[in-house]
Amino acid sequence: MEFLRAVFIDPFADMIAAPDFLLQVLWEGLVSGVLYALIALGFVLIFRSSRIFNFAQGIMVVFAALTLVGLHQMGLPAWFAFAGTLLVMFLLAVVIERVVLRPLVGQPDIMLFMATIGITLFLVGGGEIIFGGENKQMISDELGIPDASLEFNPFDGFLLIEARDITVVVGAALMVAALLVFLNRSKMGRAIRALGDDPQAALSVGISLTTIWVLVWFMAGIIALMTGIAWGSRAGVSFALEIIALKALPVLMLGGLESISGAIVGGIAIGVLEKLFEIYWGQPLMGGGTEGWFAYVLALTVLLFRPQGLFGEKIIERV
């Protein structure tokens, strides 16, 4: 009886008794969810265009952030370091397409997936050699991201919001909007979608596979850089960010591998739900630490009833 009360009655009673604290928890979950969704977008973008599950997207977040900080430490002003990092991510996209992906055209999907694991290990080793393994401070203030100490309360003590978090949420919304406009309105965006929907038909009308691959990997690099800046401003820049980046995997399982809207909704849902579960169920019943595994359990539960995810398309194989 006590257990049932602790599970079904006490948490909701606490929410009602302290609505200001509940609102704070929801806001923190929203910010985390937006960052999860950004990482997942990189996976979705590459998978939609090439049917490659890019396992390296997580380490690309770390590598991009380390490159930005490293260039700044070499003496480049912040925005020149930002531009230099974009150039590095473009060159990385070209090298990946030429050296890794092009020789594997026509090979089974598992070969391409294993290749992205190889890219991950290469970036980890190269990043440690070039930048070292110690934690670094993100150059947030030089890039115009407010310091964490800058806070305001729009509801008279009801909710405390960091200006940095507002910048992250607004920036993420603008990036998603720009990505959707690009995919739906531009010629190259339609080519990316066509290649993902029917590769043979797209190639037959002159769409260049190599050009699209370089483009989507570069776009994934841009997303990785923006995500690395956002996460780095909160937790510093180190290879520990790769563990956080792997939280995109349950987001993809929940939202579907091909859906941009699924990545957004899945990321926000996981961010909010894991925070609620940690505060109102995890800490009282399990002593905390549930944020590390809650998202995976939630995604697995969804997959049991909907294997393609909430927004994924059902795959029908004709035999």
Side-chain angles (χ1 to χ4, degrees):
M1 187 65 182
E2 289 297 326
F3 177 77
L4 294 178
R5 179 182 178 84
V7 172
F8 295 107
I9 298 177
D10 290 346
F12 297 103
D14 292 339
M15 293 179 191
I16 296 172
D20 54 339
F21 183 68
L22 172 62
L23 193 60
Q24 190 71 47
V25 172
L26 291 174
W27 170 253
E28 295 294 332
L30 173 65
V31 175
S32 296
V34 166
L35 294 176
Y36 295 155
L38 275 182
I39 303 173
L41 279 177
F43 287 92
V44 171
L45 186 62
I46 291 179
F47 188 82
R48 282 191 64 171
S49 63
S50 60
R51 291 297 184 263
I52 298 173
F53 184 83
N54 178 26
F55 190 79
Q57 185 66 28
I59 193 60
M60 284 172 64
V61 172
V62 182
F63 187 82
L66 286 173
T67 301
L68 174 64
V69 175
L71 291 176
H72 183 63
Q73 291 177 343
M74 291 170 57
L76 287 178
W79 286 104
F80 283 94
F82 181 85
T85 305
L86 289 178
L87 178 60
V88 169
M89 299 312 291
F90 175 74
L91 294 176
L92 179 63
V94 173
V95 170
I96 288 174
E97 190 279 322
R98 294 286 178 88
V99 178
V100 180
L101 301 181
R102 187 178 297 186
L104 294 178
V105 171
Q107 297 298 315
D109 293 344
I110 187 63
M111 296 293 291
L112 293 167
F113 172 69
M114 294 299 294
T116 66
I117 295 179
I119 294 170
T120 301
L121 298 177
F122 175 79
L123 292 179
V124 169
E128 289 182 342
I129 292 173
I130 298 171
F131 305 110
E134 68 277 4
N135 190 62
K136 295 177 174 60
Q137 188 70 31
M138 175 53 66
I139 53 174
S140 306
D141 51 347
E142 290 94 334
L143 293 173
I145 300 177
D147 187 80
S149 61
L150 181 57
E151 301 173 338
F152 67 96
N153 195 329
F155 301 109
D156 268 342
F158 208 64
L159 176 64
L160 188 64
I161 298 178
E162 294 181 2
R164 177 186 60 188
D165 290 342
I166 293 181
T167 304
V168 168
V169 171
V170 172
L174 292 175
M175 176 177 291
V176 171
L179 180 62
L180 290 174
V181 170
F182 174 79
L183 290 176
N184 293 310
R185 300 293 182 181
S186 71
K187 182 178 179 181
M188 290 302 296
R190 289 192 291 269
I192 291 173
R193 293 165 54 205
L195 190 62
D197 293 338
D198 193 334
Q200 295 301 323
L203 294 174
S204 68
V205 297
I207 294 176
S208 172
L209 177 64
T210 57
T211 300
I212 295 300
W213 275 4
V214 170
L215 178 61
V216 295
W217 278 80
F218 177 50
M219 292 173 64
I222 295 174
I223 293 173
L225 173 58
M226 301 305 293
T227 309
I229 292 173
W231 273 117
S233 66
R234 294 167 63 89
V237 182
S238 71
F239 285 94
L241 284 179
E242 185 183 6
I243 304 300
I244 299 175
L246 289 178
K247 193 64 70 72
L249 298 181
V251 172
L252 294 169
M253 290 187 286
L254 185 65
L257 276 171
E258 300 181 0
S259 174
I260 292 178
S261 58
I264 298 169
V265 174
I268 293 175
I270 283 180
V272 170
L273 291 176
E274 75 173 8
K275 190 69 68 175
L276 286 173
F277 189 84
E278 167 74 14
I279 297 299
Y280 291 102
W281 284 272
Q283 291 181 3
L285 297 178
M286 306 174 192
T290 61
E291 286 187 72
W293 53 261
F294 174 81
Y296 298 93
V297 174
L298 176 63
L300 179 60
T301 304
V302 171
L303 290 180
L304 292 175
F305 300 95
R306 191 173 173 82
Q308 69 272 24
L310 296 177
F311 293 83
E313 297 180 1
K314 189 173 184 179
I315 299 175
I316 300 175
E317 295 186 0
R318 295 179 173 84
V319 294

